[in-house]
Amino acid sequence: MNNHCRNLQLLLCAILLMVPAWGHAQSATETLTAPVPIYDYAVPGVTYDWQIVVNNGVVAPGDTRTFNSYNPPSLNLKQLVVFRGRTKGGMQGGGGEPTHGVFVRDMATGTDVTTVFDRKTAVPQPNNIVYAPDDTPASFIEPPAFPRIGMWWDTIATRANHQPVWTYLPEGGTETRSGTTGVYTNPFGSLITGASNLGAVPDFSFWSVPGTNPPVRFDVFPGAPSVTDGLTIVFKGNFTDGGVAKTGVYYRNLFPFPIVTLTGSALEPAGGMRPVIRIADTSTYIPGTRTPFGSTAPPSAAGPIAVFAGFDNEENPTKGGIYRAPLTGPDPKLKALVTIGQQVPGEGVSARFNRIGEALSFDGRFVAFWGAWGTETVTLTLQCPTTGNKPRIAYCNQQYPNGFETTVPKYQGIFVYDTVLRTLNAVAKAPKDFTDFVYWNFSGKVAGSEEGDDGEPARWRSASFVAVSGLVDCLLLDKNYHVAFKARQGQVVEGAYTNVVDGIYLRKGPDGRNPIASVVQTGVEGTSIDPGAVGADSLTGLSVPLPITGIGIERDGFRGDALAVNVSMGTEAAGWAGIYLTTVPARLK
């Protein structure tokens, strides 16, 4: 996308975003044992030109060790890529502890990878605790979710866990240390605290849960926060009020002003003292009902609009769906876009959504999401991970020594809702096009471990992965969009997948006749993406291409015509990995 096109779209999109947007009856659990065809979605004559954003050959900034693992990246329309990366531990002149952090690279200009923050970075203000023996301020421990970036701006937003940052003396109490997690962002250049669990501290009540008196602090900020217009963060927050666990979605507007404490001290750099504003929480009625939200999901935002998923019951929803909220004042009027019980496009009248995914991709007009219908399910037995956080792996094996049995819907798919035309279209479905769109991982916090995905207890979680872009053709004002999504093909035998192929696939909509095109698939030679993806043959010792073994994409990983993914080749112990960027080939536009 050239600069003239990008600047024109910025103006047109701003105008657009200111305008309000306009089954199966059987009940059974089955195991798929019949052969499932592996469809070849390669489009003749279509190839992808891959650029390396970062890989295992890149030394982490400020370290002597190279990166070795990555979460799915996000990028903006200027191809500024932000990602969470790690190195291995070990003594190589960089200390024994691995580097964990959030990093960026400008792919339009080809600059080097630079650090947003890592474990050596001091947490931005408020931060008044100095730790011995180094006399250093409280520093970051872990970014537990993938970072995000504004579509039109260079502003990033990310969660992070850290050492306690503030010590104070409550009235009539003893000295207390507080502040172990927050949302961090850089709208004015330097990293600042956008939201924090310091809301119960008198100096920082503007960070408290809206509507609570006395002020109640947020406990955690699950998932990945979003950022829009360069100055607004949008996030999910969990809190406890009167001994009752509650949750909601919120936003906060940031300004380049200091935080002024009750003693008159000015803490900066900072984002001002505007309060957190509620979009919806567990006291908000689901539109059209007298039932409050029982759960909400991390929102996505573009322009002055946020979208989020919320339900009466997270595990077995009967009400709720996807909602649109203008970021204008507290408790904005919510508009339902797609709801539980709504008819599934392209299916019989009895096919109604009974599950809708939490991970929404939103570009200001189009909302992409996962949904399921019908009562037939497929039984899976999930095995604990063998790589990653050791305390979490041990806890998983302790809880589930024989695996964890669960089910996934047989009938599911990827869909896109057009907020202007108010139309809903299917992108791909199971079992017609693929076997499954749901992926599982064991994540969360284990007692005694500093690392955790969201502060919530470790458990098995499922997710789907989809990203939408209406700007591949440089025009958000028409009905055309492209969707990138992750999907699986294979057979389920006795609860386990066999002959599995995972892939990132691309499809243009809304015309359902456009082909599904494979972008990258497991089993393919990794050298098709990265020349460095080679290893030694166990028999001959000769260099051979490593197979692709893992792929990832997140909701902000597709902007304009650029698509960014993370890819693993071989094994973590003896393999290769990286983050890669490509553009949609002309034939698929």
Side-chain angles (χ1 to χ4, degrees), residues 34-95:
V36 176
I38 302 298
Y39 298 101
D40 183 3
Y41 289 111
V43 178
V46 171
T47 58
Y48 298 90
D49 181 18
W50 291 100
Q51 301 177 59
I52 300 170
V53 179
V54 62
N55 63 16
N56 288 16
V58 175
V59 175
D63 204 333
T64 60
R65 296 165 295 189
T66 58
F67 288 105
N68 81 309
S69 69
Y70 320 83
N71 284 74
S74 301
L75 77 161
N76 65 8
L77 285 167
K78 295 184 286 184
Q79 296 188 9
L80 182 66
V81 181
V82 57
F83 64 95
R84 172 190 176 193
R86 301 182 181 189
T87 68
K88 289 185 178 180
M91 299 297 292
Q92 293 183 19

Short mmCIF file of all heavy atoms in Angstrom, two decimals, residues 34-95:
data_model
loop_
_atom_site.label_atom_id
_atom_site.label_comp_id
_atom_site.label_asym_id
_atom_site.label_seq_id
_atom_site.Cartn_x
_atom_site.Cartn_y
_atom_site.Cartn_z
N ALA A 34 -13.67 -41.81 10.37
CA ALA A 34 -13.63 -41.92 8.92
C ALA A 34 -12.56 -40.98 8.38
O ALA A 34 -12.32 -39.91 8.93
CB ALA A 34 -14.99 -41.57 8.32
N PRO A 35 -11.88 -41.37 7.30
CA PRO A 35 -10.85 -40.50 6.75
C PRO A 35 -11.41 -39.12 6.40
O PRO A 35 -12.48 -39.00 5.82
CB PRO A 35 -10.39 -41.26 5.49
CG PRO A 35 -10.76 -42.68 5.75
CD PRO A 35 -12.02 -42.63 6.56
N VAL A 36 -10.68 -38.09 6.79
CA VAL A 36 -11.05 -36.72 6.45
C VAL A 36 -10.14 -36.26 5.34
O VAL A 36 -8.91 -36.31 5.48
CB VAL A 36 -10.91 -35.79 7.68
CG1 VAL A 36 -11.21 -34.36 7.29
CG2 VAL A 36 -11.85 -36.26 8.78
N PRO A 37 -10.68 -35.84 4.20
CA PRO A 37 -9.81 -35.45 3.10
C PRO A 37 -8.98 -34.22 3.44
O PRO A 37 -9.44 -33.32 4.11
CB PRO A 37 -10.81 -35.14 1.97
CG PRO A 37 -12.09 -34.81 2.67
CD PRO A 37 -12.11 -35.66 3.90
N ILE A 38 -7.74 -34.22 3.01
CA ILE A 38 -6.86 -33.07 3.17
C ILE A 38 -6.95 -32.25 1.89
O ILE A 38 -6.46 -32.66 0.84
CB ILE A 38 -5.41 -33.50 3.45
CG1 ILE A 38 -5.35 -34.38 4.70
CG2 ILE A 38 -4.52 -32.29 3.59
CD1 ILE A 38 -5.79 -33.69 5.97
N TYR A 39 -7.61 -31.11 1.98
CA TYR A 39 -7.80 -30.29 0.80
C TYR A 39 -6.55 -29.48 0.50
O TYR A 39 -5.90 -28.94 1.39
CB TYR A 39 -8.99 -29.35 1.00
CG TYR A 39 -10.30 -30.08 1.21
CD1 TYR A 39 -10.83 -30.22 2.48
CD2 TYR A 39 -11.00 -30.63 0.14
CE1 TYR A 39 -12.03 -30.89 2.69
CE2 TYR A 39 -12.19 -31.30 0.33
CZ TYR A 39 -12.70 -31.43 1.61
OH TYR A 39 -13.89 -32.10 1.81
N ASP A 40 -6.22 -29.39 -0.75
CA ASP A 40 -5.09 -28.59 -1.20
C ASP A 40 -5.62 -27.24 -1.62
O ASP A 40 -6.30 -27.11 -2.64
CB ASP A 40 -4.38 -29.29 -2.36
CG ASP A 40 -3.14 -28.53 -2.81
OD1 ASP A 40 -2.82 -27.51 -2.17
OD2 ASP A 40 -2.52 -28.94 -3.79
N TYR A 41 -5.30 -26.20 -0.83
CA TYR A 41 -5.82 -24.87 -1.12
C TYR A 41 -4.79 -23.99 -1.80
O TYR A 41 -4.92 -22.77 -1.81
CB TYR A 41 -6.30 -24.20 0.18
CG TYR A 41 -7.58 -24.82 0.71
CD1 TYR A 41 -7.57 -25.55 1.89
CD2 TYR A 41 -8.77 -24.68 0.03
CE1 TYR A 41 -8.73 -26.12 2.38
CE2 TYR A 41 -9.94 -25.24 0.51
CZ TYR A 41 -9.91 -25.96 1.69
OH TYR A 41 -11.08 -26.51 2.18
N ALA A 42 -3.75 -24.61 -2.36
CA ALA A 42 -2.78 -23.83 -3.13
C ALA A 42 -3.45 -23.32 -4.40
O ALA A 42 -4.08 -24.09 -5.14
CB ALA A 42 -1.56 -24.68 -3.47
N VAL A 43 -3.34 -22.02 -4.66
CA VAL A 43 -3.93 -21.44 -5.85
C VAL A 43 -2.85 -21.39 -6.94
O VAL A 43 -1.78 -20.81 -6.72
CB VAL A 43 -4.46 -20.03 -5.56
CG1 VAL A 43 -5.03 -19.39 -6.83
CG2 VAL A 43 -5.54 -20.08 -4.48
N PRO A 44 -3.10 -22.01 -8.10
CA PRO A 44 -2.09 -22.03 -9.15
C PRO A 44 -1.60 -20.63 -9.50
O PRO A 44 -2.40 -19.69 -9.65
CB PRO A 44 -2.83 -22.67 -10.34
CG PRO A 44 -3.91 -23.49 -9.70
CD PRO A 44 -4.34 -22.73 -8.49
N GLY A 45 -0.28 -20.49 -9.58
CA GLY A 45 0.30 -19.22 -9.97
C GLY A 45 0.44 -18.21 -8.86
O GLY A 45 0.94 -17.11 -9.09
N VAL A 46 0.01 -18.56 -7.64
CA VAL A 46 0.09 -17.63 -6.51
C VAL A 46 1.24 -18.03 -5.60
O VAL A 46 1.30 -19.17 -5.12
CB VAL A 46 -1.23 -17.60 -5.71
CG1 VAL A 46 -1.05 -16.81 -4.42
CG2 VAL A 46 -2.34 -16.98 -6.54
N THR A 47 2.17 -17.12 -5.39
CA THR A 47 3.28 -17.34 -4.45
C THR A 47 3.34 -16.15 -3.49
O THR A 47 2.81 -15.08 -3.77
CB THR A 47 4.62 -17.47 -5.19
OG1 THR A 47 4.85 -16.27 -5.96
CG2 THR A 47 4.63 -18.68 -6.10
N TYR A 48 4.01 -16.38 -2.36
CA TYR A 48 4.12 -15.34 -1.34
C TYR A 48 5.57 -14.94 -1.17
O TYR A 48 6.46 -15.79 -1.09
CB TYR A 48 3.55 -15.85 -0.01
CG TYR A 48 2.09 -16.20 -0.09
CD1 TYR A 48 1.68 -17.49 -0.45
CD2 TYR A 48 1.12 -15.24 0.15
CE1 TYR A 48 0.34 -17.81 -0.54
CE2 TYR A 48 -0.23 -15.55 0.06
CZ TYR A 48 -0.61 -16.84 -0.29
OH TYR A 48 -1.94 -17.15 -0.40
N ASP A 49 5.81 -13.65 -1.14
CA ASP A 49 7.15 -13.11 -0.97
C ASP A 49 7.33 -12.79 0.52
O ASP A 49 6.79 -11.81 1.02
CB ASP A 49 7.32 -11.85 -1.81
CG ASP A 49 8.71 -11.25 -1.69
OD1 ASP A 49 9.62 -11.97 -1.24
OD2 ASP A 49 8.88 -10.06 -2.03
N TRP A 50 8.09 -13.63 1.23
CA TRP A 50 8.22 -13.50 2.68
C TRP A 50 9.41 -12.63 3.06
O TRP A 50 10.49 -12.77 2.51
CB TRP A 50 8.38 -14.87 3.32
CG TRP A 50 7.15 -15.71 3.24
CD1 TRP A 50 6.88 -16.70 2.36
CD2 TRP A 50 6.00 -15.60 4.08
NE1 TRP A 50 5.63 -17.24 2.60
CE2 TRP A 50 5.06 -16.59 3.66
CE3 TRP A 50 5.65 -14.80 5.16
CZ2 TRP A 50 3.83 -16.76 4.27
CZ3 TRP A 50 4.43 -14.96 5.78
CH2 TRP A 50 3.53 -15.94 5.34
N GLN A 51 9.20 -11.74 4.02
CA GLN A 51 10.26 -10.94 4.62
C GLN A 51 10.46 -11.40 6.06
O GLN A 51 9.50 -11.69 6.77
CB GLN A 51 9.91 -9.46 4.62
CG GLN A 51 9.64 -8.86 3.25
CD GLN A 51 9.23 -7.41 3.38
OE1 GLN A 51 9.97 -6.58 3.92
NE2 GLN A 51 8.04 -7.09 2.89
N ILE A 52 11.72 -11.45 6.50
CA ILE A 52 12.03 -11.84 7.87
C ILE A 52 11.94 -10.61 8.77
O ILE A 52 12.68 -9.63 8.58
CB ILE A 52 13.44 -12.45 7.96
CG1 ILE A 52 13.54 -13.70 7.09
CG2 ILE A 52 13.79 -12.78 9.41
CD1 ILE A 52 14.96 -14.23 6.94
N VAL A 53 11.03 -10.64 9.72
CA VAL A 53 10.95 -9.57 10.72
C VAL A 53 12.00 -9.82 11.80
O VAL A 53 12.77 -8.95 12.17
CB VAL A 53 9.54 -9.50 11.34
CG1 VAL A 53 9.48 -8.41 12.41
CG2 VAL A 53 8.49 -9.25 10.26
N VAL A 54 12.03 -11.06 12.30
CA VAL A 54 13.01 -11.48 13.30
C VAL A 54 13.05 -13.00 13.25
O VAL A 54 12.06 -13.65 12.92
CB VAL A 54 12.61 -10.98 14.71
CG1 VAL A 54 11.27 -11.55 15.14
CG2 VAL A 54 13.68 -11.28 15.75
N ASN A 55 14.22 -13.58 13.56
CA ASN A 55 14.30 -15.04 13.65
C ASN A 55 15.36 -15.43 14.67
O ASN A 55 15.94 -14.56 15.35
CB ASN A 55 14.54 -15.69 12.28
CG ASN A 55 15.86 -15.30 11.66
OD1 ASN A 55 16.77 -14.77 12.33
ND2 ASN A 55 16.01 -15.55 10.36
N ASN A 56 15.62 -16.71 14.78
CA ASN A 56 16.55 -17.20 15.79
C ASN A 56 17.99 -16.78 15.55
O ASN A 56 18.86 -17.05 16.39
CB ASN A 56 16.48 -18.73 15.87
CG ASN A 56 15.20 -19.22 16.51
OD1 ASN A 56 14.24 -18.47 16.63
ND2 ASN A 56 15.18 -20.48 16.91
N GLY A 57 18.26 -16.13 14.45
CA GLY A 57 19.60 -15.61 14.20
C GLY A 57 19.79 -14.18 14.64
O GLY A 57 20.89 -13.64 14.53
N VAL A 58 18.74 -13.54 15.17
CA VAL A 58 18.81 -12.14 15.58
C VAL A 58 19.11 -12.05 17.07
O VAL A 58 18.43 -12.66 17.89
CB VAL A 58 17.49 -11.41 15.26
CG1 VAL A 58 17.52 -9.98 15.79
CG2 VAL A 58 17.22 -11.42 13.76
N VAL A 59 20.12 -11.28 17.43
CA VAL A 59 20.46 -11.07 18.84
C VAL A 59 19.48 -10.09 19.44
O VAL A 59 19.19 -9.03 18.87
CB VAL A 59 21.90 -10.54 18.97
CG1 VAL A 59 22.23 -10.20 20.43
CG2 VAL A 59 22.89 -11.56 18.41
N ALA A 60 18.94 -10.45 20.60
CA ALA A 60 18.00 -9.56 21.27
C ALA A 60 18.70 -8.27 21.67
O ALA A 60 19.85 -8.29 22.14
CB ALA A 60 17.42 -10.25 22.50
N PRO A 61 18.05 -7.12 21.48
CA PRO A 61 18.68 -5.85 21.85
C PRO A 61 19.12 -5.84 23.32
O PRO A 61 18.38 -6.28 24.20
CB PRO A 61 17.56 -4.82 21.62
CG PRO A 61 16.66 -5.47 20.62
CD PRO A 61 16.70 -6.93 20.92
N GLY A 62 20.34 -5.38 23.56
CA GLY A 62 20.86 -5.30 24.92
C GLY A 62 21.29 -6.62 25.49
O GLY A 62 21.57 -6.72 26.69
N ASP A 63 21.38 -7.66 24.67
CA ASP A 63 21.74 -9.00 25.13
C ASP A 63 22.81 -9.54 24.19
O ASP A 63 23.14 -8.92 23.18
CB ASP A 63 20.50 -9.90 25.12
CG ASP A 63 20.59 -11.09 26.07
OD1 ASP A 63 21.73 -11.53 26.36
OD2 ASP A 63 19.55 -11.57 26.52
N THR A 64 23.37 -10.69 24.53
CA THR A 64 24.30 -11.37 23.63
C THR A 64 23.68 -12.63 23.06
O THR A 64 24.30 -13.32 22.27
CB THR A 64 25.59 -11.74 24.38
OG1 THR A 64 25.28 -12.62 25.46
CG2 THR A 64 26.28 -10.49 24.90
N ARG A 65 22.45 -12.94 23.48
CA ARG A 65 21.77 -14.17 23.06
C ARG A 65 20.74 -13.86 21.99
O ARG A 65 20.18 -12.76 21.94
CB ARG A 65 21.10 -14.83 24.28
CG ARG A 65 22.09 -15.29 25.33
CD ARG A 65 21.40 -15.59 26.65
NE ARG A 65 20.82 -14.39 27.24
CZ ARG A 65 20.30 -14.33 28.47
NH1 ARG A 65 20.29 -15.41 29.22
NH2 ARG A 65 19.80 -13.21 28.93
N THR A 66 20.50 -14.84 21.17
CA THR A 66 19.52 -14.67 20.10
C THR A 66 18.12 -15.02 20.59
O THR A 66 17.94 -15.77 21.55
CB THR A 66 19.87 -15.56 18.89
OG1 THR A 66 19.92 -16.93 19.32
CG2 THR A 66 21.20 -15.15 18.29
N PHE A 67 17.13 -14.48 19.90
CA PHE A 67 15.75 -14.85 20.18
C PHE A 67 15.56 -16.34 19.88
O PHE A 67 16.24 -16.92 19.03
CB PHE A 67 14.79 -14.06 19.29
CG PHE A 67 14.66 -12.61 19.68
CD1 PHE A 67 15.26 -11.62 18.92
CD2 PHE A 67 13.90 -12.24 20.78
CE1 PHE A 67 15.12 -10.28 19.25
CE2 PHE A 67 13.76 -10.91 21.12
CZ PHE A 67 14.37 -9.92 20.36
N ASN A 68 14.56 -16.95 20.58
CA ASN A 68 14.26 -18.34 20.26
C ASN A 68 12.77 -18.66 20.29
O ASN A 68 12.37 -19.74 19.89
CB ASN A 68 15.01 -19.29 21.19
CG ASN A 68 14.32 -19.46 22.53
OD1 ASN A 68 13.99 -18.46 23.18
ND2 ASN A 68 14.09 -20.70 22.95
N SER A 69 11.92 -17.74 20.76
CA SER A 69 10.48 -18.00 20.71
C SER A 69 9.73 -16.69 20.60
O SER A 69 10.20 -15.63 21.05
CB SER A 69 10.01 -18.79 21.93
OG SER A 69 10.09 -18.01 23.10
N TYR A 70 8.52 -16.78 20.00
CA TYR A 70 7.76 -15.59 19.65
C TYR A 70 6.27 -15.88 19.74
O TYR A 70 5.81 -16.98 19.43
CB TYR A 70 8.07 -15.16 18.20
CG TYR A 70 9.53 -15.30 17.83
CD1 TYR A 70 10.04 -16.53 17.41
CD2 TYR A 70 10.40 -14.22 17.92
CE1 TYR A 70 11.38 -16.69 17.09
CE2 TYR A 70 11.74 -14.37 17.60
CZ TYR A 70 12.22 -15.59 17.18
OH TYR A 70 13.56 -15.74 16.87
N ASN A 71 5.53 -14.87 20.14
CA ASN A 71 4.08 -14.94 20.07
C ASN A 71 3.61 -14.29 18.77
O ASN A 71 4.38 -13.56 18.13
CB ASN A 71 3.45 -14.24 21.27
CG ASN A 71 3.56 -15.06 22.53
OD1 ASN A 71 4.64 -15.18 23.11
ND2 ASN A 71 2.46 -15.65 22.94
N PRO A 72 2.37 -14.52 18.37
CA PRO A 72 1.89 -13.89 17.13
C PRO A 72 2.03 -12.37 17.19
O PRO A 72 1.74 -11.76 18.23
CB PRO A 72 0.42 -14.32 17.06
CG PRO A 72 0.37 -15.60 17.82
CD PRO A 72 1.35 -15.44 18.94
N PRO A 73 2.47 -11.76 16.11
CA PRO A 73 2.71 -10.31 16.09
C PRO A 73 1.46 -9.51 15.73
O PRO A 73 0.45 -10.07 15.28
CB PRO A 73 3.76 -10.18 14.99
CG PRO A 73 3.39 -11.27 14.01
CD PRO A 73 2.90 -12.41 14.87
N SER A 74 1.56 -8.21 15.92
CA SER A 74 0.57 -7.25 15.43
C SER A 74 1.31 -6.24 14.57
O SER A 74 2.52 -6.04 14.71
CB SER A 74 -0.12 -6.53 16.59
OG SER A 74 -0.78 -7.42 17.46
N LEU A 75 0.58 -5.57 13.67
CA LEU A 75 1.21 -4.55 12.85
C LEU A 75 0.19 -3.49 12.48
O LEU A 75 -1.03 -3.71 12.55
CB LEU A 75 1.83 -5.14 11.59
CG LEU A 75 0.93 -5.53 10.41
CD1 LEU A 75 1.76 -5.64 9.14
CD2 LEU A 75 0.21 -6.85 10.66
N ASN A 76 0.69 -2.30 12.09
CA ASN A 76 -0.20 -1.24 11.64
C ASN A 76 -0.10 -1.09 10.12
O ASN A 76 0.59 -1.86 9.44
CB ASN A 76 0.10 0.07 12.37
CG ASN A 76 1.48 0.64 12.06
OD1 ASN A 76 2.20 0.16 11.17
ND2 ASN A 76 1.87 1.67 12.80
N LEU A 77 -0.80 -0.11 9.60
CA LEU A 77 -0.84 0.08 8.15
C LEU A 77 0.50 0.53 7.58
O LEU A 77 0.72 0.45 6.37
CB LEU A 77 -1.93 1.08 7.78
CG LEU A 77 -3.36 0.54 7.87
CD1 LEU A 77 -4.37 1.68 7.79
CD2 LEU A 77 -3.64 -0.49 6.79
N LYS A 78 1.40 1.02 8.45
CA LYS A 78 2.73 1.44 8.00
C LYS A 78 3.75 0.31 8.12
O LYS A 78 4.95 0.54 7.97
CB LYS A 78 3.18 2.66 8.80
CG LYS A 78 2.31 3.90 8.54
CD LYS A 78 2.83 5.12 9.26
CE LYS A 78 2.57 5.05 10.74
NZ LYS A 78 3.01 6.30 11.43
N GLN A 79 3.26 -0.89 8.45
CA GLN A 79 4.09 -2.09 8.60
C GLN A 79 5.10 -1.97 9.73
O GLN A 79 6.22 -2.50 9.66
CB GLN A 79 4.78 -2.44 7.28
CG GLN A 79 3.79 -2.82 6.18
CD GLN A 79 4.44 -3.36 4.93
OE1 GLN A 79 5.64 -3.64 4.91
NE2 GLN A 79 3.65 -3.52 3.88
N LEU A 80 4.70 -1.29 10.80
CA LEU A 80 5.44 -1.35 12.04
C LEU A 80 4.94 -2.58 12.80
O LEU A 80 3.76 -2.68 13.11
CB LEU A 80 5.21 -0.09 12.87
CG LEU A 80 5.99 -0.01 14.19
CD1 LEU A 80 7.49 0.09 13.93
CD2 LEU A 80 5.52 1.17 15.04
N VAL A 81 5.82 -3.53 13.04
CA VAL A 81 5.46 -4.82 13.64
C VAL A 81 5.87 -4.82 15.11
O VAL A 81 7.01 -4.48 15.46
CB VAL A 81 6.15 -5.99 12.91
CG1 VAL A 81 5.76 -7.32 13.52
CG2 VAL A 81 5.79 -5.96 11.42
N VAL A 82 4.96 -5.22 15.99
CA VAL A 82 5.24 -5.34 17.42
C VAL A 82 5.03 -6.79 17.83
O VAL A 82 4.08 -7.44 17.37
CB VAL A 82 4.36 -4.38 18.25
CG1 VAL A 82 2.88 -4.61 17.99
CG2 VAL A 82 4.66 -4.51 19.74
N PHE A 83 5.92 -7.31 18.67
CA PHE A 83 5.83 -8.72 19.03
C PHE A 83 6.41 -8.96 20.43
O PHE A 83 7.20 -8.16 20.94
CB PHE A 83 6.56 -9.61 18.01
CG PHE A 83 8.05 -9.38 17.93
CD1 PHE A 83 8.94 -10.17 18.67
CD2 PHE A 83 8.58 -8.39 17.11
CE1 PHE A 83 10.30 -9.98 18.60
CE2 PHE A 83 9.95 -8.18 17.04
CZ PHE A 83 10.82 -8.98 17.78
N ARG A 84 6.02 -10.06 21.02
CA ARG A 84 6.57 -10.54 22.27
C ARG A 84 7.62 -11.59 21.93
O ARG A 84 7.34 -12.54 21.19
CB ARG A 84 5.46 -11.16 23.12
CG ARG A 84 5.88 -11.88 24.38
CD ARG A 84 4.68 -12.62 24.95
NE ARG A 84 5.01 -13.41 26.12
CZ ARG A 84 4.21 -14.34 26.64
NH1 ARG A 84 3.05 -14.60 26.08
NH2 ARG A 84 4.58 -15.02 27.71
N GLY A 85 8.83 -11.44 22.44
CA GLY A 85 9.91 -12.37 22.12
C GLY A 85 10.69 -12.76 23.35
O GLY A 85 10.68 -12.06 24.37
N ARG A 86 11.39 -13.91 23.25
CA ARG A 86 12.18 -14.43 24.35
C ARG A 86 13.50 -15.00 23.84
O ARG A 86 13.59 -15.43 22.70
CB ARG A 86 11.43 -15.54 25.09
CG ARG A 86 10.09 -15.15 25.67
CD ARG A 86 9.48 -16.32 26.42
NE ARG A 86 8.17 -15.98 26.98
CZ ARG A 86 7.50 -16.75 27.82
NH1 ARG A 86 8.00 -17.91 28.20
NH2 ARG A 86 6.34 -16.37 28.31
N THR A 87 14.47 -15.01 24.73
CA THR A 87 15.71 -15.76 24.48
C THR A 87 15.73 -16.95 25.42
O THR A 87 14.95 -17.03 26.36
CB THR A 87 16.96 -14.90 24.74
OG1 THR A 87 17.06 -14.64 26.15
CG2 THR A 87 16.90 -13.59 23.98
N LYS A 88 16.66 -17.85 25.20
CA LYS A 88 16.90 -18.92 26.15
C LYS A 88 17.69 -18.37 27.32
O LYS A 88 18.36 -17.34 27.23
CB LYS A 88 17.68 -20.06 25.51
CG LYS A 88 16.89 -20.89 24.51
CD LYS A 88 17.71 -22.05 24.02
CE LYS A 88 16.93 -22.93 23.04
NZ LYS A 88 17.73 -24.08 22.56
N GLY A 89 17.64 -19.08 28.47
CA GLY A 89 18.50 -18.75 29.59
C GLY A 89 19.89 -19.30 29.35
O GLY A 89 20.17 -19.93 28.32
N GLY A 90 20.79 -19.05 30.28
CA GLY A 90 22.15 -19.57 30.13
C GLY A 90 23.17 -18.46 30.13
O GLY A 90 22.86 -17.31 29.83
N MET A 91 24.36 -18.79 30.45
CA MET A 91 25.42 -17.79 30.56
C MET A 91 26.13 -17.62 29.22
O MET A 91 26.87 -18.47 28.78
CB MET A 91 26.43 -18.21 31.63
CG MET A 91 25.82 -18.35 33.02
SD MET A 91 25.16 -16.78 33.66
CE MET A 91 26.69 -15.88 33.87
N GLN A 92 25.82 -16.51 28.55
CA GLN A 92 26.54 -16.16 27.33
C GLN A 92 26.89 -14.68 27.38
O GLN A 92 26.74 -13.93 26.43
CB GLN A 92 25.69 -16.44 26.09
CG GLN A 92 25.44 -17.93 25.85
CD GLN A 92 24.65 -18.15 24.59
OE1 GLN A 92 24.57 -17.29 23.72
NE2 GLN A 92 24.06 -19.32 24.46
N GLY A 93 27.28 -14.23 28.56
CA GLY A 93 27.59 -12.82 28.72
C GLY A 93 26.36 -11.98 28.98
O GLY A 93 26.46 -10.79 29.22
N GLY A 94 25.19 -12.61 28.95
CA GLY A 94 23.96 -11.85 29.16
C GLY A 94 23.24 -12.24 30.41
O GLY A 94 22.10 -11.86 30.62
N GLY A 95 23.86 -13.02 31.30
CA GLY A 95 23.20 -13.43 32.53
C GLY A 95 22.47 -14.74 32.35
O GLY A 95 22.30 -15.25 31.25
#
